[in-house]
Amino acid sequence: MRVRIEPGMNERLMEEVRGKVRRYLHEIAEEFWEVDGIFMLRYGSASIGVEVLPWHKEDVLVRVFSYLAEDVNVDEDLARILLDLNARFPLGAFALGINGSVLFRYSLAGANLDLNELAAAVYTVAVVADAYDDFVRTYREVGSLSVD
């Protein structure tokens, strides 16, 4: 089977996948809310976001993410630590956002999204964010740390 990927956005699919994400989140999370098209939930000290984004005409992306800290001076040491951590995680990755923010995110193809995939993505982001948000915030304040 050959899949042809054409640029563009599929509004109908975006809405279908948003509805699917909403239904699945009712099964995954005790509580969540929706702000400007982004579904939000809490896990420990972390806030988790889930958004549906355009990708191409045949599919959309479901991005699960958590901002760990903002206004971080991302120096060479922190960049190396985050890249090293990325190599250790089988799914998801640390990323740098605007204004010195550090986040952890995990993206999925949305057209055939199922409950198990979304649950795994939410759980992975939640656990990593809850474990590493204090680390990144401490790095922001202290300016150096090491990871074992």
Side-chain angles (χ1 to χ4, degrees):
M1 179 173 129
R2 202 172 157 157
V3 177
R4 182 181 168 134
I5 297 178
E6 294 183 32
M9 183 168 68
N10 187 329
E11 287 287 340
R12 180 191 54 76
L13 184 58
M14 295 260 311
E15 287 308 312
E16 278 180 27
V17 174
R18 276 192 193 103
K20 196 183 290 189
V21 167
R22 190 178 290 110
R23 285 191 310 276
Y24 292 164
L25 286 177
H26 278 293
E27 295 187 44
I28 295 169
E30 290 181 25
E31 181 180 37
F32 70 91
W33 58 100
E34 194 172 346
V35 179
D36 297 328
I38 300 175
F39 301 96
M40 300 297 300
L41 56 130
R42 301 277 309 158
Y43 181 89
S45 61
S47 293
I48 312 305
V50 181
E51 63 184 334
V52 178
L53 301 167
W55 188 14
H56 57 82
K57 282 187 178 181
E58 305 303 320
D59 212 342
V60 297
L61 284 179
V62 176
R63 180 175 293 153
V64 182
F65 63 93
S66 180
Y67 282 88
L68 307 181
E70 295 179 342
D71 298 320
V72 178
N73 177 24
V74 181
D75 59 13
E76 186 178 334
D77 287 339
L78 180 57
R80 284 182 192 278
I81 290 168
L82 295 176
L83 285 171
D84 181 56
L85 288 168
N86 279 346
R88 297 177 191 200
F89 292 116
L91 301 167
F94 290 94
L96 305 177
I98 58 172
N99 299 324
S101 59
V102 176
L103 61 151
F104 189 80
R105 66 185 190 181
Y106 185 137
S107 295
L108 301 162
N112 296 308
L113 182 71
D114 66 29
L115 174 62
N116 184 54
E117 285 179 308
L118 184 62
V122 168
Y123 180 75
T124 298
V125 171
V127 168
V128 171
D130 189 47
Y132 285 92
D133 57 355
D134 291 335
F135 168 81
V136 175
R137 286 186 195 116
T138 302
Y139 191 95
R140 178 186 64 201
E141 294 165 10
V142 177
S144 66
L145 292 171
S146 63
V147 166
D148 295 326

